[in-house]
Amino acid sequence: MSGAGQMALLALAGVLAGVVGTAGGITSLISYPALLALGLPAVTANVANIVAFAACWPGAALASRPELAGQGPWLRRRLPLAVLGAAAGSALLLSTPPGVFARVVPFLVAGGALALLAQPRLAACHERRRRGRRSGAGAVVLPGVLLVMSVYNGYFGAGSGVMMLALLLITAEPRLPAANALKNMLIGASALVSAAAFTVFGAVEWAVVVPLGAGMFAGATLGPRLARRLPAAVVRRLAALVGLLLAVRLWMEASG
């Protein structure tokens, strides 16, 4: 494929990843396979994917202004945890030998795909909690799980958006569009910190990051709008299937 063709493919993958990711949280399950399809090694593709994803944050923020109104105090309490976790995850990735990462990736991708399928059950659990007797568990569970998820997001992150969305639906915000907007801000902050760390301490393939990131920014301006009205069941199941197939392929390559 020519250089122009590769850039067009990455830009298109970025748009799709930005739309789907900011609408429901499966960005890496689209963009990461596109990078692998171009022949990038696993760690190089992962770093490029995370750096490019930082472009989703401003696009999602612009499109989510109605849902983010009045959420400033909540975000000021939670964003430091997301930033701290992302920094730790990025440091872990930079210090992990490539061979180890290649063996771990299939299980992370599979976990992200399975999280997509589990999200409706977790949302239903939240609904039962909301109708029943409320407790203060959310105030205790949310910070700890948010920190762990942010470490994972800084390390790899496939499926982390959906897991984060499920966490917020269960512990913080029952309205899906509002929870999705908060998720986009937390994941975006994590990506920005990781992108800065990789730029300073790692090697970034900017030739693939630029078109992928440009596409993600464009897609991220549409995703939150779709989240207000688009049924997610079909997209979620298809993305989970792609993720599981990718996990099998990566496992076979790592074992071969």
Side-chain angles (χ1 to χ4, degrees), residues 1-88:
M1 183 182 295
S2 67
Q6 288 185 355
M7 291 185 65
L9 172 65
L10 288 171
L12 177 60
V15 171
L16 293 175
V19 169
V20 177
T22 55
I26 52 177
T27 303
S28 294
L29 295 180
I30 295 175
S31 53
Y32 184 66
L35 291 167
L36 293 178
L38 296 180
L40 270 68
V43 173
T44 303
N46 184 51
V47 168
N49 186 56
I50 293 175
V51 174
F53 183 73
C56 285
W57 196 21
L62 289 172
S64 300
R65 283 176 293 180
E67 289 80 13
L68 292 174
Q71 297 286 4
W74 189 95
L75 286 171
R76 282 192 291 272
R77 291 196 305 272
R78 304 308 180 192
L79 282 174
L81 289 174
V83 168
L84 178 62

Side-chain angles (χ1 to χ4, degrees), residues 188-252:
S190 298
L192 192 63
V193 171
S194 296
F198 295 146
T199 300
V200 175
F201 299 108
V204 179
E205 289 285 343
W206 292 105
V208 298
V209 167
V210 171
L212 185 65
M216 284 187 177
F217 174 80
T221 63
L222 302 175
R225 295 182 173 93
L226 291 176
R228 298 179 189 129
R229 56 182 67 92
L230 183 67
V234 173
V235 175
R236 182 177 60 247
R237 289 168 186 163
L238 287 175
L241 176 61
V242 171
L244 290 173
L245 291 174
L246 174 64
V248 171
R249 172 190 163 193
L250 293 174
W251 180 78
M252 293 177 64

Side-chain angles (χ1 to χ4, degrees), residues 99-125:
V100 174
F101 182 77
R103 289 192 292 270
V104 171
V105 163
F107 300 99
L108 298 180
V109 174
L114 292 174
L116 294 177
L117 297 177
Q119 190 269 330
R121 180 172 295 183
L122 295 174
C125 175

Side-chain angles (χ1 to χ4, degrees), residues 131-217:
R131 291 179 179 177
R133 197 165 136 194
R134 296 188 62 88
S135 69
V140 177
V141 172
L142 177 59
V145 180
L146 172 60
L147 181 62
V148 172
M149 286 187 178
S150 298
V151 172
Y152 169 69
N153 191 52
Y155 181 75
F156 183 59
S160 63
V162 168
M163 290 186 278
M164 185 78 73
L165 180 59
L167 172 68
L168 295 175
L169 285 169
I170 293 168
T171 62
E173 175 54 69
R175 298 169 299 163
L176 179 58
N180 187 62
L182 293 174
K183 176 267 298 179
N184 288 337
M185 296 303 99
L186 293 172
I187 295 290
S190 298
L192 192 63
V193 171
S194 296
F198 295 146
T199 300
V200 175
F201 299 108
V204 179
E205 289 285 343
W206 292 105
V208 298
V209 167
V210 171
L212 185 65
M216 284 187 177
F217 174 80

